[in-house]
Amino acid sequence: MLGIKRLGLLATLVVVGLAPAAAAQAAAQPSAQDTQYLQAVHQVNLAEIVTGNLAQKKGQNEQVKQLGQQFVTDHTQLDQTVKSTAQQLNVTLPNAPTADQQKVIDKLNGLNGAAFDKAWVTAELAGHVQAIQATQTEISQGSEQSVVQLAQDALPVLQAHYDALVALAQELGVPVPQTSASGTASPGGSGTPAPGGTTESPAPGGTTESPEPGGTTETPAPGNS
C-alpha cells in the first residue's frame, strides 16, 4: 500500500510540475502578424500553383510556360514549410485562395494565347509586388522566429520571380509596377489586381494594419507570387 501511495504522490508531483510548462506553451501563441502572414502566404502559394499550371496549359510564349512551371515548383516547396510551421504553431490555414485571387484565376481561365500571356504577366507582377512587401513586413515586424525565418527564406525566391517577370514584361510590352526609392517593387504601377488581392482587401486576419499576401490599406502585401 505504501508503494502505491508513493507512486500516486509521484504522479501528482509530475503532473503539477508539467502544468506550468504546458500553460506557458499554450500561452505562447503566435502574434496576429505571424498568424496572418502564414495564412496569407499559404493562399498566395495556392493561387500561384493554379496560375502556374494555367501558364503551362494556356500560355503561348515559351518563357511564360517555363516561368509557370518554375512558380509551381517553388510555391509547392514553400507551402510545405508554411503548412509544417502552421501545424507546429496551431495556426489554421485557409483551404482556398482569396476571393480576389480567385477572380484573377477566373479571368485567366477565359483567355488564351498572347492575350493570356500579357494578362498573366500583369497579374503576376502585381501579385509578387504584394507578396514581397508582405514578406518584408513579416521579417521586420514578426515575433515568432520560425515564421520570420520562413519569410527570410521566401524573400529571395519571390524577388527572383519578380525579376524574371520584369524581364518578360519588357519583352511583351507589359507595364511594370513602379519601384520605390529602396528599389523594392511598389504596387500602384499596375491597375490589375494580382492573384494576391487588391489594396482594399484586409489581411486574412480581418485587420488592415498587418500586410499580407492579399493586400493592406497602407502598403499592398503578398498577393501572389
Side-chain angles (χ1 to χ4, degrees):
M1 282 297 285
L2 183 58
I4 295 176
K5 286 183 179 180
R6 284 179 176 173
L7 286 175
L9 177 60
L10 178 61
T12 300
L13 290 174
V14 169
V15 171
V16 170
L18 290 177
Q25 184 175 9
Q29 295 299 314
S31 68
Q33 165 64 36
D34 296 325
T35 298
Q36 290 171 9
Y37 180 72
L38 283 173
Q39 293 171 335
V41 78
H42 174 60
Q43 289 180 299
V44 166
N45 292 331
L46 294 179
E48 280 300 324
I49 291 169
V50 174
T51 56
N53 283 324
L54 284 177
Q56 296 175 70
K57 178 182 177 182
K58 290 175 165 286
Q60 175 176 290
N61 183 285
E62 189 58 35
Q63 284 181 276
V64 168
K65 292 177 178 288
Q66 291 176 0
L67 274 184
Q69 182 179 30
Q70 186 64 53
F71 290 2
V72 170
T73 298
D74 291 345
H75 283 279
T76 298
Q77 292 177 347
L78 175 58
D79 206 46
Q80 290 174 349
T81 304
V82 172
K83 289 187 288 189
S84 172
T85 302
Q87 183 176 24
Q88 291 171 4
L89 298 175
N90 294 317
V91 171
T92 301
L93 297 176
N95 57 14
T98 66
D100 286 326
Q101 290 166 342
Q102 190 58 52
K103 286 179 183 178
V104 173
I105 292 171
D106 292 342
K107 176 183 176 180
L108 293 175
N109 255 320
L111 300 173
N112 290 289
F116 173 89
D117 291 344
K118 289 191 174 184
W120 185 82
V121 172
T122 298
E124 291 294 326
L125 278 169
H128 278 76
V129 165
Q130 294 176 332
I132 288 170
Q133 291 180 334
T135 299
Q136 290 173 328
T137 297
E138 172 59 28
I139 291 172
S140 64
Q141 298 181 15
S143 54
E144 171 58 48
Q145 186 53 44
S146 61
V147 184
V148 173
Q149 183 62 55
L150 185 157
Q152 290 174 332
D153 292 340
L155 185 58
V157 176
L158 296 173
Q159 187 64 56
H161 287 184
Y162 177 78
D163 293 343
L165 286 165
V166 169
L168 181 53
Q170 292 172 341
E171 254 187 57
L172 298 178
V174 172
V176 176
Q178 300 172 353
T179 56
S180 66
S182 66
T184 302
S186 82
S190 169
T192 303
T198 70
T199 58
E200 298 175 353
S201 302
T207 68
T208 57
E209 297 177 356
S210 300
E212 55 101 7
T216 78
T217 58
E218 297 180 356
T219 307
N224 199 356
S225 79

